Amino acid sequence: MSTTRSSTMSTMSTMSTATTERNDVTSDVTAATRSTGSTGSTGSSTQEAGTPHAVPAPRKRMLTGDRPTGKLHLGHFVGSIENRIRLQSEYEAFFIIADLHMLTTKNTRADIDQVSKNARDMVLDQLAAGIDPAKATFYLQSAVPEVMEFNTLFQNLVTVPRLERVPSLKDMARAAGKDEMPYGLLGYPVLQAADILCVKGNVVPVGKDNHAHVEVTREIARRFNHLYGDVFPIPELVVSEITTLIGTDGQAKMSKSLGNAIMLSDDAATVRKRVAGMYTDPNRVRADIPGTVEGNPVFAYHRAFNDDQAQVDEFAVRYRAGRVGDVEVKEALAEAINRYLEPMRERRASYDAQPGLVDEIIVEGTETTRAEVRVVLSEVKKAMGITGAYNQLRRKAEQARKKRD
Ligand code: TRP
């Protein structure tokens, strides 16, 4: 894999002939075509309505991302990164580093001081995992301040009771130890709508906790179009077959803060150590006691990561029969995970050999995104008539000044 810097600008005008074939929802095709074609924001204004097959439709846009809270682990990989890698060829991909969203629950100076490092780590993890910087655009949310203008305008398109019914917000408030809902956190889905709509995103692949946010986004887009004219596509939620990966300690979810994670950046020795310490069947104090495979994290990981599923089948049979020790099963698992991570380590090493490259990728992506967002913002303001107000005032002011001089 080449890590030479290829211009992300070129992805902005990439055309795909493949997309039209897999589109099953005709109305969405129309929406996407109209929205990207009308602003000229893809750099390709050749798409004419009513000339089917004359020109390939612009690729649909995907937007997703994360708050910059740290390095990624295997749970992130099977839960979403793997999905992004698959989708990056199909869609024009934008990946947000949502530091403004992070502020809704973590806003100390110390939290904020971590953003650049966390952003770099997270992007590197994704690049190492197989996101292609020539296809994807990574950007830092706070460096596209126009998103805050979208946020302000969108705040009037949704009600407080509607936001109060979004269940994830209460969960986030609770998890952050807040006994009252911060105003910004209540507005989390509105800001997310701003992220998605400011690039006219067509598809949003996110986990379950974010589904309600995409629903709010769709409502805001519809409301906007209804009030001011068709500007936005109605973004589709991409419900991915997301597997939540169990923690190494057997807890429901892998999470760095719970200390039950295997990081994508762990080296081979660390992986061996973490696997050796994994929770298995607690009743199995000796290798000749029949063990339970179901719900056993060691077997869950074998299923998820071992490229030799025949070996896993065989282990499962022997485990149930009390004919294999945990140590043997775990050693094979550590090997399997290390085989799985090896290509990522190679890609990571090639990025590491080019210091500053990840930063460049983020900065270039941010510039690209910002340029896009500005185009959409002016379209939004025009549709709303906001630009008109000041233009009228300016015109009068100028006339007055001319008269005076
Ligand atoms: N809400 C996402 C999270 O849980 C991050 C995010 C912010 C996002 N803006 C987005 C995801 C837009 C998809 C689309 O961390």
Side-chain angles (χ1 to χ4, degrees), residues 63-67 96 98 101 141 188 191-192 195-196 204-206 209-210 213:
L63 186 109
T64 187
D66 318 87
R67 284 159 288 174
I96 185 173
H101 275 105
Q141 186 184 30
Y188 188 113
L191 182 58
Q192 191 160 341
D195 296 332
I196 295 164
V204 188
V206 282
D209 51 345
N210 270 266
H213 308 171

Side-chain angles (χ1 to χ4, degrees), residues 262-334:
I262 294 174
M263 310 309 289
L264 296 181
S265 47
D266 281 345
D267 61 18
T270 307
V271 168
R272 278 194 291 273
K273 202 178 79 199
R274 297 209 201 224
V275 171
M278 274 180 76
Y279 176 92
T280 57
D281 181 346
N283 300 318
R284 204 159 179 265
V285 289
R286 276 194 334 259
D288 58 356
I289 296 173
T292 306
V293 165
E294 289 70 30
N296 186 327
V298 172
F299 278 93
Y301 289 17
H302 262 302
R303 285 292 173 217
F305 303 109
N306 197 336
D307 54 2
D308 184 357
Q309 287 294 309
Q311 180 191 48
V312 183
D313 292 338
E314 192 222 311
F315 275 146
V317 170
R318 287 167 61 201
Y319 200 83
R320 288 197 181 98
R323 285 193 291 108
V324 65
D326 275 281
V327 173
E328 188 183 340
V329 183
K330 282 180 170 177
E331 276 171 358
L333 175 61

Side-chain angles (χ1 to χ4, degrees), residues 331-353:
E331 276 171 358
L333 175 61
E335 263 174 54
I337 293 178
N338 278 327
R339 278 199 302 279
Y340 195 87
L341 292 178
E342 201 43 50
M344 298 192 202
R345 291 185 185 129
E346 279 165 26
R347 276 190 294 262
R348 182 182 300 275
S350 77
Y351 281 102
D352 284 342

Side-chain angles (χ1 to χ4, degrees), residues 213-235:
H213 308 171
V214 179
E215 193 45 50
V216 170
T217 301
R218 291 165 59 85
E219 289 167 24
I220 287 176
R222 276 196 217 101
R223 186 92 193 115
F224 186 99
N225 290 350
H226 173 74
L227 286 172
Y228 309 115
D230 267 355
V231 170
F232 295 114
I234 309 301

Side-chain angles (χ1 to χ4, degrees), residues 29-253:
V29 181
T30 327
T33 307
R34 183 192 59 234
S35 64
T36 45
S38 60
T39 57
S41 59
T42 56
S44 139
S45 49
T46 44
Q47 177 73 22
E48 291 289 329
T51 52
H53 311 301
V55 218
R59 266 201 312 178
K60 282 194 180 188
R61 271 193 187 166
M62 151 170 86
L63 186 109
T64 187
D66 318 87
R67 284 159 288 174
T69 50
K71 293 186 177 173
L72 306 178
H73 53 60
L74 284 177
H76 292 121
F77 187 78
V78 299
S80 65
I81 309 302
E82 205 169 32
N83 217 18
R84 292 178 193 179
I85 295 166
R86 197 167 44 77
L87 295 168
Q88 67 177 343
S89 318
E90 197 174 326
Y91 298 103
E92 191 185 348
F94 286 81
F95 298 117
I96 185 173
I97 305 156
D99 57 339
L100 297 174
H101 275 105
M102 182 196 81
L103 297 181
T104 63
T105 54
K106 295 178 75 177
N107 61 348
T108 68
R109 184 55 209 257
D111 294 328
I112 297 164
D113 285 346
Q114 292 292 313
V115 168
S116 61
K117 182 186 185 302
N118 287 346
R120 194 182 295 118
D121 284 347
M122 270 172 43
V123 171
L124 177 56
D125 278 340
Q126 295 182 69
L127 294 168
I131 302 264
D132 180 352
K135 290 186 181 143
T137 302
F138 290 95
Y139 74 98
L140 185 65
Q141 186 184 30
S142 64
V144 182
E146 288 79 8
V147 75
M148 298 182 239
E149 295 191 52
F150 278 89
N151 184 52
T152 299
L153 299 172
F154 289 171
Q155 281 171 344
N156 307 308
L157 305 177
V158 64
T159 69
V160 170
R162 173 67 184 91
L163 294 171
E164 282 171 341
R165 285 196 298 273
V166 175
S168 52
L169 304 179
K170 289 185 196 111
D171 296 342
M172 280 194 269
R174 205 174 308 118
K178 319 247 178 213
D179 26 76
E180 289 189 332
M181 177 64 71
Y183 177 55
L185 184 54
L186 185 68
Y188 188 113
V190 182
L191 182 58
Q192 191 160 341
D195 296 332
I196 295 164
L197 298 175
C198 75
V199 295
K200 295 192 174 180
N202 303 103
V203 293
V204 188
V206 282
K208 223 178 175 144
D209 51 345
N210 270 266
H211 288 186
H213 308 171
V214 179
E215 193 45 50
V216 170
T217 301
R218 291 165 59 85
E219 289 167 24
I220 287 176
R222 276 196 217 101
R223 186 92 193 115
F224 186 99
N225 290 350
H226 173 74
L227 286 172
Y228 309 115
D230 267 355
V231 170
F232 295 114
I234 309 301
E236 286 172 72
L237 170 67
V238 177
V239 184
S240 26
E241 265 316 310
I242 284 187
T243 1
T244 312
L245 193 65
I246 190 169
T248 56
D249 57 356
Q251 290 218 53
K253 204 173 168 183

